[in-house]
Amino acid sequence: MSLNINSLLIHGGTDGDEATGAVNVPVYQTSTYKQDGLGETRGWEYSRTGNPTRDALEKLIADLEHGKYGLAFASGLAAINTVLSLFKSGDKLVVSDNIYGGTFRILDNVFKNFGITYEIVDTSDLEKVEAAIDEDVKAVYVESPANPLLTVTDIAAVAEIAHKHNKLLIVDNTFLTPYLQRPLSLGSDIVIHSGTKYLGGHSDTISGFVVVNDKELADRLYYLQNAIGGVLAPWDSFLMIRGIKTLGVRMDRHVDNAKKIAQWLSKSGYASRIYYPGLPEDPGYEVQKKQADGPGAMISFVLDSNYDYRKFFKNLKLITLAESLGGVESLVCHPASMTHAAIPAEIRQEVGIVDELIRFSVGIEDADDLIADLEQAIKTSKKEAV
Ligand SMILES: *Cc1c(COP(=O)(O)O)cnc(C)c1O
């Protein structure tokens, strides 16, 4: 029976425990498994290689992404590390120009040392993507919407360009989750997630995922997952399954709140620039609407120069200043000094990650309370007239 996403969130992957009838997959907190004789296993050997709790979660994320093969990792970056390990010295990647700071860091400070290079491109501009592809390029790496400027890339169009040249398309789908966007169905070859964010949803577990459809690619990735060893632990796998069950109801509220707040902000005069693909005036609005079931709940804005952003962060009462995003509670961050500090200042300025930029992960609290907190924090941060 083919199930819709709201049913898959509850019953996808391995639904319950076959052996006992427990409605939840148990935490198989074990590192190894008894072998009945030499070479006679019951399907499990060692928990880096395979663990039933992690396996249930890996099947679940594959189902949600409309993919065939899922892999769970100890963090989003462990997932990214494993995917980047598909490449070898001399290979090059074309990468979106505003991506998660840690993705930039691992490319620039780890894989570059192994001779794997990258070129940063505005992937929302298809001509620039096409122009950047040469013989050395092996893959295009896209975040859409991207972090922190919510730039939307046309995934199907970039997939077409990549495939025309025989390159892979990798999409980081963290900001929308499979509830709102399924990159494999749009032509992407590899989907990556930081499960730490919306999938877990409660700001209590670090995790990462990779999903693919191609058997050969899956075999290489399973090999690398076991060889590198950055796997998700059984208890954390359980917490992720638990979090994912409520993804649909959470995302609906996240998106409703974000739309309301973005509309308020755009009328308020407090922001000189708003980045949110759910606003009809946003340059990514049409593509986002075509390829996703909603714009997500990340809003970035540039605080008007009449207000002091340092004071704004201090004056918030309900909304928390913290790294991360996608949890039930609202968080704000200062990309220039926090999440994107690893990106050199001149590249930050060039792409628009200015000092007054504020990134807001809209939680599922009452939208009017969130607006009231933003308004009081902005009003009380007004600069003194000189
Ligand atoms: C957080 C994040 C990552 C890294 O994930 P971790 O779980 O923190 O390792 C990668 N991509 C995006 C878009 C993220 O937001």
Side-chain angles (χ1 to χ4, degrees):
M1 185 178 165
S2 101
L3 297 175
N4 291 311
I5 184 101
N6 280 310
S7 306
L8 282 177
L9 290 168
I10 319 289
H11 299 290
T14 307
D15 189 14
D17 184 43
E18 197 58 48
T20 63
V23 295
N24 289 302
V25 177
V27 181
Y28 283 91
Q29 191 71 38
T30 188
S31 61
T32 191
Y33 307 80
K34 181 181 181 207
Q35 306 197 3
D36 297 320
L38 276 180
E40 281 175 58
T41 72
R42 301 181 206 176
W44 309 97
E45 288 164 25
Y46 187 63
S47 279
R48 170 163 30 77
T49 320
N51 173 280
T53 316
R54 193 178 90 222
D55 183 73
L57 173 63
E58 291 179 328
K59 290 195 163 82
L60 175 60
I61 191 70
D63 282 354
L64 297 179
E65 283 288 0
H66 295 181
K68 288 197 184 117
Y69 309 98
L71 300 94
F73 296 89
S75 68
L77 272 162
I80 291 166
N81 185 358
T82 305
V83 168
L84 294 179
S85 300
L86 289 167
F87 304 104
K88 58 183 194 317
S89 178
D91 289 352
K92 189 171 144 191
L93 286 102
V94 170
V95 179
S96 289
D97 69 351
N98 61 100
I99 53 167
Y100 180 70
T103 306
F104 177 80
R105 184 174 51 207
I106 197 172
L107 281 165
D108 194 55
N109 289 336
V110 182
F111 281 89
K112 208 170 73 185
N113 296 336
F114 302 144
I116 295 163
T117 57
Y118 64 90
E119 181 176 340
I120 290 182
V121 167
D122 174 3
T123 52
S124 70
D125 184 334
L126 299 173
E127 283 173 21
K128 287 188 180 155
V129 176
E130 177 95 50
I133 292 180
D134 62 23
E135 212 181 299
D136 293 338
V137 169
K138 292 294 178 301
V140 181
Y141 188 109
V142 166
E143 257 181 58
S144 185
N147 188 352
L149 297 173
L150 289 316
T151 315
V152 175
T153 290
D154 188 331
I155 296 172
V158 172
E160 205 177 301
I161 295 170
H163 294 160
K164 187 173 78 187
H165 297 281
N166 254 321
K167 317 296 182 189
L168 293 172
L169 174 61
I170 304 165
V171 175
D172 182 332
N173 199 28
T174 299
F175 272 27
L176 290 189
T177 81
Y179 184 71
L180 296 177
Q181 175 169 275
R182 288 158 302 277
L184 292 177
S185 306
L186 296 165
S188 163
D189 301 285
I190 301 177
V191 174
I192 292 177
H193 280 283
S194 168
T196 313
K197 316 297 167 56
Y198 292 102
L199 288 167
H202 296 76
S203 304
D204 57 11
T205 311
I206 303 279
S207 72
F209 295 103
V210 174
V211 186
V212 299
N213 262 326
D214 181 72
K215 172 83 169 74
E216 204 184 309
L217 200 50
D219 286 345
R220 285 169 67 201
L221 286 165
Y222 284 124
Y223 180 87
L224 289 168
Q225 181 191 37
N226 182 54
I228 296 171
V231 295
L232 193 64
W235 177 252
D236 289 355
S237 298
F238 169 83
L239 284 174
M240 288 306 299
I241 294 172
R242 181 183 163 109
I244 285 170
K245 286 184 199 290
T246 56
L247 180 68
V249 287
R250 284 188 284 108
M251 287 314 281
D252 286 346
R253 172 73 77 83
H254 277 297
V255 173
D256 283 351
N257 280 359
K259 282 182 177 167
K260 205 165 168 184
I261 289 165
Q263 273 156 12
W264 170 79
L265 205 52
S266 74
K267 290 198 201 91
S268 71
Y270 295 138
S272 58
R273 179 106 200 239
I274 300 172
Y275 300 92
Y276 182 59
L279 288 173
E281 59 269 30
D282 190 273
Y285 180 79
E286 291 300 331
V287 174
Q288 174 278 133
K289 224 173 121 186
K290 179 185 76 171
Q291 71 186 5
D293 297 327
M298 295 300 297
I299 301 172
S300 288
F301 61 96
V302 177
L303 192 63
D304 185 89
S305 57
N306 287 318
Y307 303 92
D308 179 337
Y309 66 89
R310 290 173 197 279
K311 280 195 186 145
F312 163 77
F313 285 120
K314 265 233 174 303
N315 294 351
L316 287 166
K317 294 190 168 112
L318 175 64
I319 302 163
T320 305
L321 171 64
E323 305 248 2
S324 200
L325 59 107
V328 290
E329 64 288 291
S330 289
L331 301 179
V332 283
C333 93
H334 182 234
S337 69
M338 296 166 71
T339 49
H340 291 71
I343 298 175
E346 62 277 13
I347 297 184
R348 280 205 310 264
Q349 281 295 330
E350 210 178 291
V351 299
I353 307 174
V354 296
D355 283 350
E356 294 76 19
L357 184 77
I358 292 162
R359 192 189 75 181
F360 185 14
S361 168
V362 180
I364 65 171
E365 300 95 335
D366 184 276
D368 292 332
D369 289 344
L370 294 173
I371 289 172
D373 193 33
L374 286 175
E375 185 152 41
Q376 69 76 23
I378 295 173
K379 276 186 172 163
T380 53
S381 68
K382 196 159 175 34
K383 290 178 184 166
E384 316 264 318
V386 277

